[in-house]
Amino acid sequence: MAAGDHHLRLGSYLGDVSALSFLPSSPRPLLLAGTGSELLVYDVDAARLLASFKVFDGVRVHGIQPRGSPPADGLTVAVFGERRAKLLRLRVDAGDDGGAVGVRLELEQRLPGFDHWVLDAGFLEVDGLLAIGLSDNSVALWDLTERVFVTRVNSPEKCLLYSMRMWGDSVKSLLVASGTILNEILIWKLVPWTLSSSLLCTDEVGAPAVENRENVRFSGNRYMAVHIGRLKEHEGSIFRISWSSDGSKFMSVSDDRSARMWMLSCQPQNFTNQAANIDNVDIIPKLTLFGHSARIWDCYISDSIVITAGEDCTCCIWDMDGKLIKMFKEHIGRGLWRCLYDPSSLVLITAGFDSAIKVHHLCNSFHDILEEKVVPDGLKYESEVFEISSPIVSGQYGPLDSKSEYVRCLHFVQENVLYVATNSGYLHHADLSDTNDVKWTDVIQVTEKAPIICMDVMTVHPDSLDKKDIVALGDGHGNVTIVRLTSGNIEPKVDLSFIWSAEKDRQLLGIYWCKSLECSHIFTADPRGVLKLWNIRNALYSNAHALTASQEVSLVAVFESPFGARIMCLDVSLQDEILIAGDKKGNIVAFPFHKTLAAHNSSGTQQKIPFCDRFKGAHGISSVTSVHITTSTSDDAQIHTTGGDGCICFFKYGRYVNNVEFVGMRQLKDLGTIQSIYADHVSDTQLVGTYAIGFTSADFVIWDLGNDAKMVQISCGGWRRPYSYYLGTVPEYQNCFAFVKDHSIHVRRHWAPAQDKKLLPQVLHTQFHGREVHSLCFIDPASYSHHEKSTNLWIATGCEDGTVRLTGHSASNAGRWCSSKMLGEHVGGSAVRDTCFITKTYTLIDKSCNSSGSSGNILVENEETTFLLISVGSKQVLTTWILQPRIVENRQVCSGGRDLDSKQSAECSDNGDSAVTFQWLSTHMPPKLTTNRLKAVHVKQNFEEGNSSAQPNLAIMDQMENDWRYLSVTAFLLKHPATKLTVCFAVVACSDATVILRALLLPSRLWFDVALLVPQASPVLVLRHIVDASSACSGDDVGNGDRYIIVSGSTDGTITLWDLTDTIHGFMQLVSETQPHMVIDCQKRPKTGRGSQGGRRRWRSLANNSVKKDSKQTLLPTENDLNASCVAAESSHEISGLEENEVITTTEDTTSSSYSCDVPEVQPMQTFSGVHQSGVNCLHVSEMERACPTTGMSSYCIISGGDDQAVQCFVFTLGSPQQSCSMNKASLNSPANGALTILSQHTVPSAHGSAVKGIWTDGVWAFSTGLDQRIRCWKMDPSGKFMEHSHVIISVPEPETLDVHHDRGRGKYHIAVAGRGMQMVEFSPRKDDSMEAA
């Protein structure tokens, strides 16, 4: 469609992939994929999308069946979906290298609509027919030459089916396998009527039903359907059936999570048209496979392997004996719909709900195992599990004491080298090359036979012949022993060892190498949070004996943590000159680390280095287990930490401001504690090609962060035992783990050769949410870096799984989706219900400021705009993200997302504007209540005293574990010129029928509850706001000024307006007077619900400590001055280590809530009842281009859609603030209602065929979508009346939300609609239409 066409033009669909098929092509096959109503053609080898075609209108493609080898004039492909089927002619233009360079698609035949869904299609080449399998257990035959139906043959048993698959190239050889809704598989075929009547008796249904069969004459014979067998082994509905290439066996997968293989007792060719053979056919169950944790959706079978794909997002490869060979889990969401395998190219394709099409290239050695069942020499796919024991420790049994000999520390340096330290001070070297003959070497025994408390090993030149292991040992007497070993021909050789006293007895608890300092410096830690840096370069590389070498060790610096807790991990960045340390109580501390400390001559006098910043409770009260600093080209160093709370936390350290700022977090629910991160690349808050190493309960786990899948799980007894692990290039193929149990060292090693390493799957189609999308909003292109050169549009989406994604749509790439990356997820994975992008920041100039422009309040747009994204959802989670436009240097931005792959180049652009990203800013959650804090007596008393506005909801929340959820949000930014503070005012609607105004102070991240909008009789589903500056700019009397109006739509069909002007002005004045950010620390990390915040007592102590220590300063007033500020204690507060140990007494009667009972209430300025007969699902507000002709004031348009299928619109002007003080109830038929004046009103009763779910308008054009899967374009006139201009059927099933971006420069509207997937639609109005509407 031409760009100037004034109708709606469909863009690409981003949603579940429901069909896959290889297209025979020379010299390499192409891939056909069905997603939504589109057919996609890919060149798999080049990982390139060749073409996309729209096949149906609003009907998903369910199946694709190509016809044999391609003729010269193109290949015929049968495509079907729901009750429709089409035959398409596909022509491929080959390039010089044999690869496809272009694809053309033409409609060859359109089959008439069916009365039941099409489940399968197959070409019967011998007869020139197309067989269509239908869901009523019948097969229709279509003549490809005459283009007419020849017959429709019904099965002996009519029933509804979930699946059907056919095999055969002629009517005579056709076999039909039907999976019924009754958990049965029916096998039947077509036979001539002339067969003996005894054949009919084999049908279990019985002969009397034969008269009811439909039979026809074909080629001089009469055909009918005859049963071969009925299979009842499954205990659930049959979702998919797959035949082998020769038809001798087939697979079935079911709702019962099993896959079953069936064998025919003889080859199908042997019983074609032979009555006796058909009568003797048996179907033998050969194999039953269990391995999926949910329903199985698809399967594939060949002569050597079986492949299954399921709802648990896993794809399993099995051998013919039922052994699980490999499991892939590289999809997310509701399931893996389709799997496809090409034995000739060893390519496995998977696709599912998350829109991704992933290509797995299976290696040749893997294929040898599958096809030949032979393991090549040196190739070990089996895991080795064995036990070893130190020569000194072996033979000991019974209870242990402090003087017993046992293993204290383990450390892998290679897959076959393990160091073992014991309680008697021995260090052993174990060579595990031969598991049957482990070679032990006694390396050293520390002096005085002191127990070895800690050990760390650094390998120098690991890839050369001059490889050396430098082992650092810390013993119970406070001594440090350094041993340098060189690999020998038979056993390792000790080149040098020396010892020095680092601490007093029993005070040395940790010893740490740092890679950035190499082996010239080492750290030691004591129980009180003191780190010591030692320079050992001269001692390590001296040729003197041990006594002289120990004298060369010098103490360079001492770092003392303010928290007084033992340091557990650290990292140093010399470029950023920073040391980050994590302690046992979950805190991290930053110390300046000048490059002179690491200099070769840093052996002068020791320095005591004070800390430059700290972050309390980075991992709650759980220990910090690892710290890693990533140096970047920006002004900030990126830091990520792991902890015993099962979280990965991201920070940034400002080089010039010397502070540590929390920027994001990822919680792994499947891991109780994370010990470290193995990463190929870490960027900001995204982990690519990374693995989390940790424990869950008593098991050791390697977790693939990129695919959110468990790679390895080993039962070991937990992390408190001595253990060690070692990972290779591809951790799922190369990993070692050792742990101590019952005086023995248990080793589990899985080590495949390097040439068999994992190839990352190619991603042919952009990965998206794996579940339903509830909300979306455009990111204003004005916020992009170099937005004038931008050709992409970015959309933020919130999903049922609690994730928020940023997805790009490229207008220059044929309107394709270019990339999608996850910004983060809501705490606890709570579903995201609504999102809001704030594009403008207003500056409020009050009367106290000397302004030459005007003496009244003036509302202007701030030039230094802050762009915020707000998402709300279940568990009353409100998350704020801040936009950080930036250009990424020398790397593709699309590879920075957790779902994307370095090979994904087909649809990812490397434009600068693709660097638009968000950073986590703040998360607000209501504090949890305990039963002893809110009792029935208190609730009754509150009711008697009349304080019933908030407390009843609190009681319910306490009993229901806070099951309320936010349904909608709207927000705007306001800057105070005197304090330079920016306040984000967010109005949120909760499912308990309450609406509350909250304020977020920036940059301090303090949350305040400002006002409670009077609870409605029904929950509010949608919120919008109006910032009216018309009266402010008019400069009339002092009473007029900026206006802040909130518009809501409820489940009872009511539309309500609130005037928050006075409330917001009062709060801004209060903020300027009290300066709350000066007396209250900001919230830096969201609560996770896993005890990572230190428990209820710690949080209560923190709040009281913060108030106590600032008691001498001016606090926020709690009464008479906009009581909203009494909830500021919700934030986390940072205190010193001394203050943490103080015992604070609190009363049990103290109540806390998601909002304070002292928050003032705001009455509605106007309520319109019965606007819709049922819920107001969607609502949008726009300022009309023309002002009111009588008053000259700005007029506004509110357009809404509801469950009653109607679209309602009314135009109004706002009255004076004095008129809106009291609540008015009115109907839309009243022209003047005091607070506002209705200029016009218009309704379209049946705008959609089902509930209206999304709507948008700019006063000229309006767009709406509904459950009827249509987007309708409405043309509006200045009076507010509108009429349908055009409509289009979309591919998104069950659409839930809609947003529009108006590109005024190009004169286009971009409409995005989302639900089960997302689709872009473009509208280009004619100029005369727009002028006429305006």
Side-chain angles (χ1 to χ4, degrees):
M1 185 175 296
D5 201 328
H6 59 284
H7 292 281
L8 295 166
R9 183 170 68 91
L10 279 174
S12 58
Y13 169 73
L14 187 63
D16 53 344
V17 179
S18 51
L20 292 174
S21 179
F22 281 118
L23 178 67
S25 179
S26 179
R28 54 194 182 193
L30 303 180
L31 175 68
L32 301 180
T35 174
S37 303
E38 296 180 73
L39 181 66
L40 309 178
V41 185
Y42 284 96
D43 184 338
V44 176
D45 289 346
R48 183 166 61 96
L49 176 66
L50 299 178
S52 63
F53 307 96
K54 181 184 176 184
V55 181
F56 300 112
D57 288 330
V59 175
R60 287 198 304 166
V61 176
H62 288 161
I64 306 169
Q65 182 61 49
R67 183 181 184 181
S69 59
D73 60 341
L75 179 71
T76 300
V77 179
V79 181
F80 57 89
E82 296 186 8
R83 295 181 173 88
R84 302 174 188 176
K86 290 182 179 181
L87 295 179
L88 308 174
R89 176 73 62 175
L90 198 65
R91 292 181 170 86
V92 181
D93 301 326
D96 296 335
D97 59 348
V101 296
V103 177
R104 293 171 292 163
L105 187 69
E106 301 173 358
L107 177 63
E108 184 175 318
Q109 299 181 35
R110 186 195 307 270
L111 277 65
F114 296 94
D115 56 350
H116 288 80
W117 279 38
V118 179
L119 298 180
D120 194 19
F123 289 95
L124 307 180
E125 296 291 347
V126 176
D127 303 313
L129 299 175
L130 175 68
I132 304 292
L134 302 174
S135 60
D136 64 342
N137 207 11
S138 66
V139 174
L141 301 179
W142 174 265
D143 193 316
L144 296 173
T145 304
E146 300 296 332
R147 301 191 176 189
V148 295
F149 277 114
V150 175
T151 183
R152 181 169 173 178
V153 182
N154 290 326
S155 167
E157 182 174 344
K158 292 185 177 181
C159 59
L160 293 179
L161 308 179
Y162 272 135
S163 60
M164 175 191 284
R165 291 302 294 271
M166 299 179 291
W167 178 91
D169 59 359
S170 66
V171 177
K172 295 181 180 180
S173 63
L174 185 65
L175 288 176
V176 182
S178 304
T180 74
I181 62 175
L182 304 176
N183 310 341
E184 297 177 342
I185 302 175
L186 304 177
I187 310 298
W188 55 284
K189 73 183 312 298
L190 277 70
V191 297
W193 180 265
T194 56
L195 291 179
S196 91
S197 59
S198 62
L199 178 64
L200 304 177
C201 298
T202 61
D203 182 7
E204 297 181 16
V205 178
V210 172
E211 278 91 22
N212 297 328
R213 306 282 198 277
E214 178 183 349
N215 52 79
V216 297
R217 182 176 298 276
F218 176 67
S219 300
N221 295 319
R222 301 171 64 192
Y223 284 86
M224 64 179 302
V226 174
H227 263 210
I228 297 177
R230 182 195 303 266
L231 309 175
K232 301 181 178 181
E233 279 74 6
H234 278 290
E235 298 180 358
S237 301
I238 315 301
F239 289 139
R240 191 76 168 175
I241 299 172
S242 178
W243 287 93
S244 63
S245 58
D246 60 359
S248 62
K249 53 185 173 290
F250 63 92
M251 285 290 301
S252 60
V253 294
S254 169
D255 192 19
D256 61 5
R257 306 182 183 182
S258 71
R260 299 176 185 267
M261 181 191 300
W262 314 86
M263 296 283 294
L264 301 181
S265 58
C266 60
Q267 293 294 328
Q269 295 84 354
N270 297 335
F271 58 81
T272 301
N273 289 339
Q274 300 296 323
N277 289 341
I278 294 178
D279 197 24
N280 295 327
V281 171
D282 291 328
I283 303 175
I284 306 169
K286 182 182 179 181
L287 196 62
T288 302
L289 305 176
F290 288 96
H292 289 271
S293 60
R295 295 175 290 185
I296 307 178
W297 295 124
D298 199 10
C299 59
Y300 168 87
I301 183 172
S302 70
D303 294 333
S304 57
I305 63 172
V306 171
I307 301 175
T308 56
E311 191 179 24
D312 56 359
C313 295
T314 61
C315 179
C316 299
I317 302 178
W318 316 75
D319 64 14
M320 301 306 289
D321 297 328
K323 180 180 178 181
L324 179 62
I325 301 175
K326 178 63 180 174
M327 176 185 292
F328 297 98
K329 185 177 181 183
E330 294 173 341
H331 290 263
I332 57 175
R334 288 202 177 277
L336 203 58
W337 295 141
R338 294 291 175 259
C339 62
L340 185 65
Y341 181 66
D342 181 18
S344 61
S345 59
L346 305 180
V347 170
L348 172 64
I349 312 288
T350 57
F353 199 103
D354 62 356
S355 178
I357 302 174
K358 298 198 175 185
V359 182
H360 307 264
H361 296 273
L362 304 184
C363 53
N364 290 326
S365 57
F366 186 74
H367 181 261
D368 293 337
I369 293 180
L370 300 179
E371 300 294 339
E372 302 177 13
K373 305 285 184 70
V374 175
V375 180
D377 293 337
L379 186 61
K380 298 180 181 180
Y381 279 89
E382 297 293 334
S383 298
E384 301 173 281
V385 180
F386 55 95
E387 295 183 22
I388 60 175
S389 182
S390 169
I392 299 179
V393 178
S394 61
Q396 295 192 20
Y397 302 97
L400 302 177
D401 55 30
S402 61
K403 296 183 179 181
S404 301
E405 175 68 328
Y406 56 88
V407 175
R408 273 188 171 269
C409 305
L410 300 175
H411 200 291
F412 269 114
V413 293
Q414 290 179 225
E415 71 276 11
N416 55 0
V417 176
L418 177 68
Y419 286 98
V420 181
T422 69
N423 190 55
S424 297
Y426 286 96
L427 174 66
H428 303 285
H429 175 282
D431 187 345
L432 309 180
S433 301
D434 185 357
T435 58
N436 297 320
D437 184 18
V438 177
K439 298 179 180 179
W440 288 92
T441 302
D442 294 338
V443 178
I444 197 174
Q445 183 182 19
V446 299
T447 58
E448 303 177 8
K449 295 184 180 181
I452 296 178
I453 305 300
C454 49
M455 174 174 63
D456 200 5
V457 183
M458 175 173 284
T459 301
V460 182
H461 309 300
D463 300 325
S464 65
L465 298 177
D466 191 26
K467 184 177 75 71
K468 300 179 185 296
D469 293 336
I470 304 177
V471 184
L473 305 172
D475 61 37
H477 293 327
N479 300 320
V480 177
T481 303
I482 303 294
V483 184
R484 188 177 67 196
L485 296 95
T486 304
S487 300
N489 296 328
I490 302 177
E491 60 183 22
K493 177 184 177 181
V494 178
D495 291 342
L496 176 69
S497 66
F498 56 92
I499 185 172
W500 78 93
S501 177
E503 297 286 350
K504 299 179 181 179
D505 282 359
R506 301 183 180 182
Q507 297 300 302
L508 178 59
L509 297 184
I511 187 166
Y512 309 103
W513 293 108
C514 187
K515 290 184 178 180
S516 61
L517 302 180
E518 297 179 344
C519 56
S520 61
H521 293 74
I522 195 168
F523 290 91
T524 59
D526 70 358
R528 300 175 301 278
V530 176
L531 271 178
K532 294 181 180 180
L533 175 64
W534 304 85
N535 186 346
I536 64 171
R537 169 176 288 275
N538 296 332
L540 188 62
Y541 294 102
S542 66
N543 296 322
H545 54 80
L547 180 61
T548 306
S550 63
Q551 296 175 354
E552 297 290 336
V553 178
S554 60
L555 178 62
V556 177
V558 177
F559 307 87
E560 184 173 355
S561 170
F563 299 107
R566 171 188 168 188
I567 301 298
M568 303 297 296
C569 52
L570 57 88
D571 194 15
V572 173
S573 173
L574 291 178
Q575 179 177 340
D576 301 309
E577 297 188 335
I578 184 67
L579 163 65
I580 304 294
D583 65 25
K584 192 173 184 180
K585 294 187 177 181
N587 314 303
I588 65 172
V589 186
F591 296 93
F593 195 94
H594 197 269
K595 292 180 181 179
T596 57
L597 295 177
H600 296 173
N601 56 354
S602 60
S603 57
T605 59
Q606 70 179 53
Q607 306 178 43
K608 186 172 183 180
I609 310 296
F611 71 93
C612 58
D613 198 13
R614 58 187 177 177
F615 192 102
K616 184 172 180 63
H619 290 272
I621 58 174
S622 302
S623 174
V624 182
T625 54
S626 71
V627 176
H628 181 75
I629 305 175
T630 303
T631 301
S632 63
T633 58
S634 64
D635 295 336
D636 300 319
Q638 311 297 330
I639 305 167
H640 77 262
T641 64
T642 63
D645 58 348
C647 294
I648 306 170
C649 294
F650 298 90
F651 304 85
K652 67 178 182 181
Y653 174 79
R655 294 188 178 97
Y656 303 110
V657 295
N658 294 330
N659 72 327
V660 176
E661 181 181 356
F662 181 87
V663 295
M665 178 182 67
R666 181 171 179 184
Q667 180 183 6
L668 298 183
K669 303 176 184 177
D670 297 86
L671 292 182
T673 176
I674 303 176
Q675 296 298 318
S676 64
I677 295 294
Y678 178 91
D680 295 332
H681 173 70
V682 179
S683 65
D684 297 353
T685 59
Q686 300 294 337
L687 298 173
V688 181
T690 57
Y691 300 81
I693 316 300
F695 293 85
T696 173
S697 185
D699 296 342
F700 172 77
V701 174
I702 300 178
W703 189 269
D704 186 346
L705 291 170
N707 301 304
D708 206 20
K710 186 186 301 179
M711 294 289 100
V712 176
Q713 183 170 2
I714 304 170
S715 179
C716 63
W719 59 271
R720 297 183 183 275
R721 300 174 182 268
Y723 71 90
S724 182
Y725 62 87
Y726 182 76
L727 304 181
T729 307
V730 186
E732 58 262 51
Y733 290 163
Q734 298 176 331
N735 57 80
C736 303
F737 180 68
F739 65 97
V740 176
K741 181 180 179 182
D742 298 333
H743 305 285
S744 297
I745 303 173
H746 298 250
V747 181
R748 193 266 197 189
R749 181 169 60 188
H750 183 78
W751 205 264
Q755 64 268 20
D756 194 35
K757 65 181 182 180
K758 172 187 176 184
L759 293 176
L760 294 176
Q762 292 173 308
V763 183
L764 298 184
H765 199 242
T766 303
Q767 189 165 28
F768 193 51
H769 291 288
R771 292 180 180 268
E772 292 79 5
V773 178
H774 295 307
S775 63
L776 66 83
C777 61
F778 276 96
I779 306 302
D780 191 345
S783 64
Y784 304 168
S785 53
H786 303 292
H787 63 87
E788 65 279 356
K789 301 179 181 179
S790 173
T791 58
N792 292 355
L793 286 175
W794 294 89
I795 302 173
T797 52
C799 181
E800 176 69 24
D801 60 3
T803 60
V804 179
R805 298 185 76 92
L806 189 64
T807 305
H809 184 268
S810 175
S812 60
N813 188 16
R816 306 298 305 179
W817 300 99
C818 60
S819 67
S820 180
K821 60 181 179 181
M822 190 178 76
L823 300 182
E825 61 179 336
H826 274 206
V827 174
S830 55
V832 180
R833 306 300 304 185
D834 196 15
T835 54
C836 172
F837 182 64
I838 307 175
T839 59
K840 295 182 180 179
T841 301
Y842 299 97
T843 300
L844 178 64
I845 303 179
D846 58 20
K847 304 168 191 177
S848 60
C849 299
N850 296 326
S851 175
S852 59
S854 175
S855 59
N857 292 348
I858 302 178
L859 193 67
V860 297
E861 188 175 348
N862 182 24
E863 295 179 358
E864 299 178 357
T865 304
T866 301
F867 298 100
L868 296 183
L869 175 68
I870 295 180
S871 59
V872 298
S874 300
K875 303 296 182 183
Q876 292 182 278
V877 175
L878 191 158
T879 303
T880 310
W881 320 79
I882 185 168
L883 181 66
Q884 291 187 326
R886 58 187 176 87
I887 299 295
V888 178
E889 300 178 359
N890 300 325
R891 65 184 180 93
Q892 287 187 351
V893 179
C894 62
S895 65
R898 64 181 291 261
D899 310 319
L900 302 180
D901 186 279
S902 59
K903 293 187 177 183
Q904 183 182 354
S905 59
E907 299 181 65
C908 285
S909 62
D910 199 16
N911 299 339
D913 62 350
S914 61
V916 172
T917 187
F918 284 87
Q919 173 186 301
W920 176 88
L921 181 66
S922 180
T923 295
H924 180 277
M925 291 182 65
K928 292 186 176 181
L929 301 177
T930 55
T931 54
N932 61 348
R933 285 195 173 192
L934 186 63
K935 301 179 181 180
V937 178
H938 300 151
V939 176
K940 181 178 179 181
Q941 181 180 359
N942 289 329
F943 272 112
E944 293 175 353
E945 296 176 354
N947 299 329
S948 59
S949 59
Q951 296 300 331
N953 288 329
L954 296 180
I956 298 174
M957 287 171 56
D958 188 42
Q959 297 297 326
M960 300 181 63
E961 295 290 336
N962 185 17
D963 198 30
W964 303 116
R965 60 187 181 275
Y966 288 143
L967 300 177
S968 185
V969 63
T970 187
F972 53 90
L973 285 163
L974 193 58
K975 185 173 182 179
H976 198 285
T979 61
K980 301 299 183 181
L981 284 177
T982 301
V983 180
C984 174
F985 289 98
V987 182
V988 289
C990 187
S991 58
D992 63 350
T994 57
V995 181
I996 189 169
L997 172 65
R998 288 198 166 96
L1000 171 63
L1001 267 63
L1002 299 177
S1004 60
R1005 308 184 188 185
L1006 288 174
W1007 281 101
F1008 297 91
D1009 291 347
V1010 181
L1012 179 65
L1013 281 61
V1014 172
Q1016 300 296 294
S1018 301
V1020 170
L1021 295 177
V1022 59
L1023 288 169
R1024 294 293 182 265
H1025 71 272
I1026 301 172
V1027 179
D1028 182 23
S1030 59
S1031 57
C1033 298
S1034 63
D1036 294 337
D1037 61 2
V1038 179
N1040 291 336
D1042 51 287
R1043 302 281 298 280
Y1044 307 96
I1045 309 298
I1046 300 298
V1047 184
S1048 70
S1050 305
T1051 56
D1052 60 356
T1054 299
I1055 293 180
T1056 308
L1057 287 82
W1058 283 275
D1059 189 345
L1060 304 181
T1061 305
D1062 294 339
T1063 304
I1064 289 176
H1065 284 176
F1067 181 82
M1068 294 297 288
Q1069 182 180 358
L1070 179 64
V1071 167
S1072 64
E1073 293 175 354
T1074 58
Q1075 299 287 308
H1077 59 287
M1078 303 299 294
V1079 297
I1080 303 177
D1081 292 322
C1082 63
Q1083 175 179 329
K1084 295 184 179 180
R1085 176 194 159 157
K1087 306 173 186 178
T1088 62
R1090 292 181 60 174
S1092 62
Q1093 302 302 308
R1096 176 172 58 86
R1097 180 174 180 178
R1098 174 177 178 270
W1099 275 97
R1100 190 167 63 237
S1101 299
L1102 286 176
N1104 284 277
N1105 271 327
S1106 178
V1107 174
K1108 180 177 179 178
K1109 73 174 183 179
D1110 297 322
S1111 59
K1112 297 181 180 180
Q1113 304 179 32
T1114 303
L1115 296 178
L1116 291 176
T1118 57
E1119 293 182 348
N1120 302 325
D1121 291 314
L1122 195 66
N1123 307 334
S1125 56
C1126 60
V1127 199
E1130 284 188 42
S1131 326
S1132 62
H1133 309 289
E1134 185 178 325
I1135 59 174
S1136 65
L1138 177 63
E1139 291 166 336
E1140 181 192 14
N1141 298 324
E1142 295 178 2
V1143 178
I1144 305 298
T1145 305
T1146 59
T1147 61
E1148 292 296 332
D1149 293 334
T1150 303
T1151 60
S1152 62
S1153 64
S1154 61
Y1155 46 84
S1156 170
C1157 58
D1158 295 327
V1159 173
E1161 295 183 354
V1162 177
Q1163 298 291 329
M1165 63 176 289
Q1166 200 76 46
T1167 300
F1168 298 101
S1169 302
V1171 177
H1172 290 273
Q1173 296 179 7
S1174 53
V1176 181
N1177 295 328
C1178 50
L1179 180 148
H1180 195 264
V1181 182
S1182 175
E1183 183 176 359
M1184 303 296 287
E1185 291 190 356
R1186 294 183 180 179
C1188 178
T1190 58
T1191 64
M1193 300 179 63
S1194 297
S1195 58
Y1196 296 91
C1197 168
I1198 294 180
I1199 188 168
S1200 61
D1203 284 333
D1204 57 358
Q1205 308 175 16
V1207 171
Q1208 179 80 237
C1209 175
F1210 62 95
V1211 180
F1212 65 94
T1213 59
L1214 293 173
S1216 63
Q1218 290 81 3
Q1219 292 176 309
S1220 60
C1221 293
S1222 60
M1223 181 180 67
N1224 296 287
K1225 292 186 178 180
S1227 64
L1228 292 178
N1229 298 324
S1230 303
N1233 299 302
L1236 54 85
T1237 302
I1238 297 177
L1239 303 180
S1240 62
Q1241 182 263 338
H1242 183 60
T1243 304
V1244 177
S1246 298
H1248 284 265
S1250 187
V1252 183
K1253 302 296 289 186
I1255 202 162
W1256 182 94
T1257 185
D1258 62 353
V1260 179
W1261 296 95
F1263 304 93
S1264 62
T1265 188
L1267 294 180
D1268 56 357
Q1269 254 183 276
R1270 283 163 173 78
I1271 291 181
R1272 300 187 185 274
C1273 174
W1274 309 88
K1275 186 177 180 180
M1276 304 184 66
D1277 59 24
S1279 65
K1281 293 185 179 181
F1282 56 95
M1283 62 180 297
E1284 184 175 351
H1285 177 269
S1286 59
H1287 75 272
V1288 67
I1289 302 175
I1290 58 177
S1291 298
V1292 180
E1294 303 172 10
E1296 291 195 36
T1297 181
L1298 173 144
D1299 196 18
V1300 180
H1301 167 67
H1302 185 193
D1303 188 347
R1304 298 182 182 274
R1306 298 180 176 91
K1308 295 181 179 180
Y1309 291 86
H1310 298 276
I1311 306 115
V1313 60
R1316 288 184 55 184
M1318 182 167 62
Q1319 190 170 15
M1320 186 77 79
V1321 180
E1322 185 180 293
F1323 176 68
S1324 300
R1326 293 183 301 196
K1327 292 184 178 180
D1328 53 347
D1329 284 342
S1330 299
M1331 293 176 62
E1332 180 183 349

